[in-house]
Amino acid sequence: MSADSLQRPQLQTLTLSAVVQSAQLVRGLAHTGSASFPAMKALIDPLFVLNAPSFTTIFPDLRLARPGLEWLTARARQFSPGGNDEVLRYTRNLLLLRTKLMADTEMQSRLGRRLQSISPLSAPHSDPHRQTERPTEPVGLHETERSFEALATLYQDTISTLPLRIQVQGKVEHLQDERIANRIRALLLAGIRFAVLWHQIGGRPWHLFILRGRINRIATSMLKS
């Protein structure tokens, strides 16, 4: 099954799950200092596809969407403002930041221009996260770190200036690690990208309350296919 074969409600659920997965990875990095590189790359790569010709271009491997879909099956009924789950809070804030970003056309243009000057993540032979200096480093390590750093700087120069700020919780040693902080900011930027896409294909905040059951059912069905 490819993303292009999905119906609109399925695409909306898939895109929402990508917002959720961005939040999941942010939480994981903040608390454990590690995250799956393929998962991060799958979420960050679409940042560089400004005019995607198809949904398969954005979601080339639906298997990587499982964590977000699994979260939706368990938590789709907990999108109320009073929820304390960190992933839930980050997800809600990413959706709110989309609204503020779309109200700022100059910032949208700046994001588009800056993204064109950043290299997509390369694929080093091993996960570069948290590696120390070694005589022989994985191919693509420095390029990948530069991309994470550039995306993090872009996030700070744009999204971080909006009225709403996402306060990431976690262990101090991880939050103060520059490499981890760069990954967190890059993933937050990716989450906003998917929040924009979710809105473009008809996703609306009220769906999270009125259509919670449908979101749950669709996510469950997609996990079985």
Side-chain angles (χ1 to χ4, degrees):
M1 181 176 65
S2 71
D4 289 334
S5 68
L6 300 177
Q7 300 298 313
R8 176 164 290 232
Q10 292 174 306
L11 285 172
Q12 291 172 352
T13 302
L14 176 64
T15 306
L16 180 61
S17 78
V19 182
V20 167
Q21 192 170 2
S22 299
Q24 288 176 308
L25 291 174
V26 165
R27 185 189 185 282
L29 282 164
H31 285 275
T32 70
S34 64
S36 162
F37 182 77
M40 288 192 292
K41 189 175 188 302
L43 292 169
I44 291 170
D45 277 352
L47 282 169
F48 304 101
V49 185
L50 301 182
N51 295 292
S54 67
F55 279 97
T56 298
T57 305
I58 300 172
F59 299 101
D61 187 351
L62 294 182
R63 292 173 297 181
L64 292 173
R66 291 191 66 85
L69 290 171
E70 288 170 350
W71 189 93
L72 284 177
T73 64
R75 305 294 178 88
R77 299 184 183 281
Q78 299 181 20
F79 273 106
S80 61
N84 293 319
D85 181 275
E86 286 176 36
V87 172
L88 175 61
R89 178 166 58 84
Y90 299 154
T91 299
R92 286 201 310 262
N93 285 342
L94 287 169
L95 297 177
L96 288 171
L97 280 169
R98 179 213 67 81
T99 302
K100 297 185 181 301
L101 172 61
M102 298 313 292
D104 191 331
T105 55
E106 193 280 329
M107 183 176 291
Q108 293 175 51
S109 298
R110 198 162 13 126
L111 280 165
R113 291 194 303 270
R114 292 271 294 274
L115 282 170
Q116 293 179 54
S117 68
I118 300 174
S119 298
L121 298 184
S122 55
H125 293 321
S126 63
D127 189 335
H129 183 62
R130 297 292 292 163
Q131 288 193 5
T132 57
E133 292 296 324
R134 298 177 180 176
T136 302
E137 294 183 326
V139 175
L141 173 61
H142 292 304
E143 292 81 356
T144 296
E145 291 303 330
R146 282 195 292 269
S147 295
F148 274 123
E149 182 179 5
L151 289 169
T153 300
L154 177 57
Y155 180 88
Q156 288 178 300
D157 291 345
T158 55
I159 304 301
S160 285
T161 67
L162 293 171
L164 173 65
R165 300 286 294 275
I166 296 181
Q167 299 296 324
V168 176
Q169 298 176 321
K171 294 185 177 180
V172 174
E173 62 265 33
H174 299 321
L175 296 176
Q176 291 182 346
D177 185 304
E178 184 179 0
R179 287 184 172 183
I180 295 174
N182 287 343
R183 284 160 171 72
I184 286 173
R185 293 185 180 110
L187 285 166
L188 292 174
L189 193 61
I192 294 170
R193 165 72 172 90
F194 281 108
V196 170
L197 179 59
W198 179 69
H199 188 269
Q200 288 174 336
I201 59 175
R204 297 294 183 268
W206 60 267
H207 289 178
L208 306 179
F209 305 98
I210 306 301
L211 302 181
R212 289 176 298 181
R214 188 182 78 169
I215 292 171
N216 188 311
R217 289 192 299 273
I218 292 174
T220 300
S221 175
M222 292 178 70
L223 285 168
K224 293 178 179 178
S225 61

